[in-house]
Amino acid sequence: MVNIIFGTNIILGLLIIIGVLLLYFLRNIRPEVARDEDIFFTTLGLLYGTILIIHGWRLDPILLFSQSLVVTISLAAGWENIRLRGLIADLLVDKLKNELEVD
């Protein structure tokens, strides 16, 4: 049975879907930061977000709270991971520039 009711589950599902789509489109914006395994995580995130939207009405309050914690932690860890990838890419570019200047 599919029963979609607008609530917190819709917001959580949309947050996850938007977050993983941003991860996917990062490949177009900064290709040096993107990794091949991002497509795998994007697929899992889209599946997870869709399940939350379609079947989230079944969650009782404590399970919904735990799902909101999981979504928050996942998005925060993903954001930190992307920032660290960008810093590493910038450090590698600076290192290569310094090596070229020395030669």
Side-chain angles (χ1 to χ4, degrees):
M1 178 166 94
V2 176
N3 186 9
I4 299 176
I5 299 173
F6 185 77
T8 312
N9 61 324
I10 301 284
I11 295 169
L12 289 175
L14 289 177
L15 277 174
I16 283 289
I17 289 173
I18 290 169
V20 296
L21 286 177
L22 288 174
L23 177 66
Y24 179 74
F25 290 125
L26 182 69
R27 189 171 293 280
N28 296 333
I29 298 168
R30 290 193 63 188
E32 68 274 4
V33 175
R35 303 283 187 263
D36 290 336
E37 60 266 9
D38 290 346
I39 295 172
F40 174 72
F41 292 121
T42 300
T43 305
L44 287 180
L46 288 173
L47 183 65
Y48 175 63
T50 305
I51 289 171
L52 266 178
I53 289 173
I54 293 174
H55 295 289
W57 62 273
R58 296 179 180 188
L59 297 175
D60 60 345
I62 193 71
L63 288 176
L64 188 60
F65 180 66
S66 68
Q67 289 301 308
S68 61
L69 290 178
V70 166
V71 167
T72 304
I73 290 170
S74 299
L75 291 176
W79 178 259
E80 185 67 24
N81 189 2
I82 298 301
R83 286 185 55 230
L84 289 175
R85 287 182 192 179
L87 287 173
I88 290 171
D90 292 342
L91 286 174
L92 288 175
V93 168
D94 290 342
K95 182 179 178 182
L96 289 174
K97 284 182 184 178
N98 289 339
E99 288 179 1
L100 290 175
E101 288 176 359
V102 170
D103 293 337

